[in-house]
Amino acid sequence: MIALPPSARSREKASFFTIMLDSNAYRSLAYLLLSFPLGIFYFVFAIACLALSIGLTPVFLIGLPILLLFLLAANLIMDFEIGLIRYVLGVRVDYSRWQSSSHSSLGLVKRCWAYATHPRTMKSVLLLLIKFPIGILSFVISITFIAVSLSLLFSPLLYFIEQTTDQSTTQIILFDETMLNVFHVDGDPFLQTWIYAIVGFFLTFISLHLFTYLAQFFSKIVMLFAEE
């Protein structure tokens, strides 16, 4: 069972504006971005190993040791995921690795069977598969909010660069006219860019808070799979 005592950093919740100075927000963003390549690797690795072991099992039972090695790797990946939560997110996790000493009195075949059918082993395999959609969702949300907030925040600078490089362009298009009507802004494109910058300013802080909560949510999903 995993216990999650609050860390020293987690006791002090950052306010709306101080989140910019909170390292947990950037740790959370790093965790979300790492989930994407790791999720792809886990999924491809799991599918390839399972297909290879199943396909080679009828051929002199070659697939059985491959399957056993895959299950061992799945448990090691589970340990690695818990390490990410510990060292990237800074969360103290009471987690113990699977110990084979409790089955030392059994024979080799029975020990392999006990290891393969252990609940933690099965959950580790499921984690390899579930990490794929988690990684995609984390990456899409992170990149979308980063791109939108920064593009809005620096829209006056983009407008200035556009005007100095192309004098024939007199309007920067970030939203359609229906969006401008919501703010009751006239047709001055320079004034529009500052409206966008204000929206982007607040959206940046909202994004950092969102990254923190998303990282906590997805890490709790991982820890559910690590429970015995």
Side-chain angles (χ1 to χ4, degrees), residues 30-45 80-81 131-132 134-136 138-139:
Y31 180 80
L32 294 176
L33 295 178
L34 280 174
S35 297
F36 179 64
L38 290 177
I40 294 178
F41 171 75
Y42 295 162
F43 184 80
V44 173
F45 175 73
F80 174 74
E81 282 291 321
K131 188 71 175 182
F132 180 61
I134 289 178
I136 294 178
S138 301
F139 184 80

Side-chain angles (χ1 to χ4, degrees), residues 77-166:
I77 290 176
M78 174 67 77
D79 297 338
F80 174 74
E81 282 291 321
I82 296 299
L84 281 181
I85 296 175
R86 282 175 174 168
Y87 300 111
V88 176
L89 295 182
V91 178
R92 292 184 295 175
V93 183
D94 184 13
Y95 172 78
S96 59
R97 296 182 178 181
W98 190 87
Q99 301 293 333
S100 60
S101 58
S102 59
H103 300 88
S104 58
S105 60
L106 301 177
L108 178 61
V109 177
K110 290 184 177 180
R111 289 178 63 184
C112 293
W113 177 256
Y115 182 81
T117 57
H118 195 275
R120 178 174 290 183
T121 303
M122 298 294 100
K123 291 181 179 180
S124 299
V125 175
L126 291 177
L127 176 64
L128 297 183
L129 301 177
I130 199 66
K131 188 71 175 182
F132 180 61
I134 289 178
I136 294 178
L137 185 61
S138 301
F139 184 80
V140 170
I141 293 177
S142 301
I143 294 301
T144 299
F145 274 84
I146 290 174
V148 173
S149 60
L150 291 182
S151 62
L152 291 176
L153 184 62
F154 292 102
S155 56
L157 178 61
L158 297 176
Y159 176 79
F160 176 77
I161 295 175
E162 183 182 58
Q163 293 303 301
T164 56
T165 55
D166 186 3

